[in-house]
Amino acid sequence: MDLKFLKGVGEKRAEAFSKIGINSPEDFLNFIPRAYLKKISIREIPANLNENVIVSGKVIDLEHPRKSNHPYRIILKDNTGTVSIPLFGASEFRSRQFRLNDSFIFWIKTDRDNFSSVPKISYRDHLKINESEINDTEFMKFRLIPVYELSGILKKTWIKPLLLSKIVFNAFSALLRSNPDYIEETLPEDILKRYKLSGKKEAVLRINFPVEFPDIEFSRKRLSFEELFYLELILALKKKSLQNEKKGIKFDNDIHAITEKFKSVLQFELTASQKKVMNEIYLDMKSDKCMNRLLQGDVGSGKTIVAVFSMLIAIENGYQAAFMCPTEMLAGQHFRTISELLKPLDIKVELLVGGQKKKIREGILADIRSGKTDLIIGTHALFQESVEYRNIGFVVIDEQHKFGVMQRAKLKEKGINPDVLVMTATPIPRTLSMTYYGDLDVSVIDELPKNRIPVITALRSESDKPGINSFIRKEIKKGRQVYIIFPIIDESEKLDLKSAEENFSILKRQVFPDLKVGMVHGRMLWYEKDEETEKFRKGELDILVSTTVIEVGIDIPNASVMIIEEAQRFGLSQLHQLRGRVGRGADQSYCILVAKDLSEDSSRRLEILCKTNDGFKIAEADMAIRGPGEFFGIRQSGMLNFSCTDLNKDRDIVETAREIAFKIIDEDPQLRKKEHIRIKKAFLKNYKDSLYLTDIA
Ligand code: ADP
Ligand code: MG
């Protein structure tokens, strides 16, 4: 059916609707209301509440204003009473709009007015209806009226909300009149029954036109289940195809000999958690399955050493390994510590980053090509076209959340099929990792090395500066070192950089003229940053002023105090990452959050950090505050654009949907069984196109 023939639409509106991709009545079926308005009788209009409600009735009088700043008034009557609704604007126009004896529904808002028993009413919207419609039609039968939000270029004012609701309703009626089974079921009967979910048609109808309030949540849950079920189904298929695609490498040389070698250079005992994940990784490596594993662990939990052990296994089996880092600074640090560690084992480690001298770079590339180099550490430069490996068998991606999407796809483009270990320190709430990283196997390090003392965190204001500065001096006198972080959230932000540099010079010249103060920021060249951090590492600097470039990975155990300026500007997870730079040694560490103009909201937010050091708890709170997309910095990721799901609320649904979807694909990867026909059909019809969205990591 052509949209323009739908009741209430017409030529002009149809044209405008097409601008936001609505071309036929069917397109309204994907609408989800943003809110609902309760329909009440006039007598029920609440006297002392702020509430939006709908009333309907017949116009029995029209009052023209006596003064120009008074409103025009409509007296509306239903069979319980009358109400006077004020309307501002030209009364000429109003009297053409509203005529005596016509019937309308009105959206009104009642306001609290403690001094009067008569409710204060303001007008929001209206819709003319036939008298017979008031009691008869389906649209008026329901107690709740949906309100929709139009997206994109169509402004709210373009189509009035009540008219839009009516149009959506008309679309539903027209479609279902022509074919009562138009909305097809997408989930198998046994799943519906087992999880007490309503049918698809019922859910779509009731979320739009609920009879009573509980209908809304009941229907939303059903639709959310469907969304998550098909997402997990896609992830399960993806995982299956990764496994089947190509055989992985069997790293099955004598593991005891390799372990002994590793132990001979290790300066500490691995934690139980590190051993556990090491075992999970090794089982994958040993088998011919191609590993795609996510290693999660809070900052400072010791992921690097696990990666090194895994790479050593690959190398001792005759393969090359690559370690990819998000920043050159971090690559530089890993290069130094790892080559130092592996020196006694006669393993050749190289650093490959942008900006190396041509001659040096060519030498490095030649050694990678010939296989002389065993372990290559670098940035994403590692997988540029110019880099040829002799036989790469293992790839580690450190701090994966900093890379954004598509890294694994890039590896594939290079035509290699190594085992991949993805590491992330951003503890991801479980619901989110099950969706976002859903096709990876997950290992979690859930304890910190034993010698750690929890960081003490405090929230202070600008006026506490003198006290903070003398605390800094005291700690430096004890032999500790201090980070001072200035917020440059976006490294291209010139103003922030300027103020960080000014602050640096004030600290250096006026506040701590007797101490050695250095600075790093994102605009410096990598070897300049590297030089400065190395000075700090060697103890040649007492204070390192820095932007968030040190957020990821930097490991300098003697630095035990961190001051974070303008802490209110950071997200919680980011602050936790920053704080993770201290508390890495055996000394008591401190993190002082200095906040400017603290609002009640942001101080409540920052207090969370003072109360806990548990990255997972912080991540949950962060996600609840900022939403899943913002949390990842991937607002545009289609994958997390749910229309009915709220990951904060629907944890149970994620878990159940995942369990069922993976089980089904495991038993019946082609969806050939009779009981899966419905799933296959719905998948091919509605969800197949989303397959590419999962191509992440
Ligand atoms: P992250 O998981 O944040 O990447 P790192 O791998 O940088 O953490 O480890 C943090 C620090 O802890 C490093 O200095 C590392 O040498 C040390 N470390 C790692 N594992 C252990 C352990 N089992 N016992 C003691 N120290 C450890
Ligand atoms: Mg790390």
Side-chain angles (χ1 to χ4, degrees), residues 285-354:
M285 291 183 76
K286 189 174 77 164
S287 79
D288 64 357
K289 120 178 201 206
C290 192
M291 178 171 90
N292 277 290
R293 188 168 282 278
L294 173 72
L295 176 58
Q296 270 196 59
D298 210 344
V299 266
S301 60
K303 293 181 292 295
T304 315
I305 201 71
V306 170
V308 171
F309 192 5
S310 318
M311 292 190 292
L312 185 68
I313 296 175
I315 293 166
E316 293 293 321
N317 275 273
Y319 288 89
Q320 290 173 303
F323 192 170
M324 183 162 82
C325 312
T327 65
E328 284 153 342
M329 216 167 130
L330 184 56
Q333 173 192 285
H334 279 325
F335 171 66
R336 234 182 321 272
T337 50
I338 294 172
S339 46
E340 185 69 25
L341 182 75
L342 299 182
K343 207 188 260 162
L345 301 185
D346 193 27
I347 284 172
K348 186 162 156 58
V349 186
E350 270 300 356
L351 178 68
L352 186 69
V353 289

Side-chain angles (χ1 to χ4, degrees), residues 300 303-304 330 333-334 398-399 423 425 552-554 581 584:
K303 293 181 292 295
T304 315
L330 184 56
Q333 173 192 285
H334 279 325
D398 195 15
E399 311 279 354
M423 306 205 291
V552 286
I554 297 303
R581 298 309 118 217
R584 296 184 153 245

Side-chain angles (χ1 to χ4, degrees), residues 26 186 268 395 477 678:
E26 288 94 83
T186 52
F268 42 71
V395 172
K477 212 169 247 155
R678 201 179 263 176

Side-chain angles (χ1 to χ4, degrees), residues 56-173:
S56 56
K58 196 187 262 190
V59 177
I60 55 161
D61 201 2
L62 298 160
E63 287 174 8
H64 287 267
R66 261 160 293 177
K67 282 189 193 159
S68 64
N69 61 346
H70 283 191
Y72 186 84
R73 284 184 172 278
I74 290 169
I75 314 299
L76 195 74
K77 177 181 187 310
D78 71 2
N79 52 20
T80 68
T82 60
V83 60
S84 160
I85 300 168
L87 279 155
F88 290 89
S91 51
E92 296 268 303
F93 169 66
R94 293 302 189 191
S95 48
R96 257 181 286 127
Q97 226 176 356
F98 300 97
R99 289 174 193 277
L100 273 183
N101 289 322
D102 279 354
S103 296
F104 290 91
I105 58 177
F106 276 90
W107 169 0
I108 56 174
K109 178 158 187 283
T110 62
D111 285 312
R112 189 185 294 273
D113 180 354
N114 293 330
F115 302 106
S116 161
S117 59
V118 185
K120 194 167 163 275
I121 284 171
S122 47
Y123 162 89
R124 282 299 156 90
D125 188 20
H126 74 274
L127 181 69
K128 186 169 183 305
I129 47 179
N130 298 329
E131 187 174 1
S132 61
E133 272 184 312
I134 289 194
N135 297 311
D136 294 351
T137 69
E138 283 282 312
F139 185 58
M140 293 304 290
K141 210 173 68 191
F142 307 122
R143 300 267 323 277
L144 297 162
I145 294 211
V147 183
Y148 300 92
E149 189 129 51
L150 283 179
S151 64
I153 44 176
L154 293 189
K155 283 266 155 39
K156 277 203 267 303
T157 46
W158 169 75
I159 185 161
K160 308 251 294 253
L162 289 177
L163 178 59
L164 181 59
S165 312
K166 184 78 193 294
I167 290 174
V168 175
F169 179 81
N170 291 341
F172 272 79
S173 319

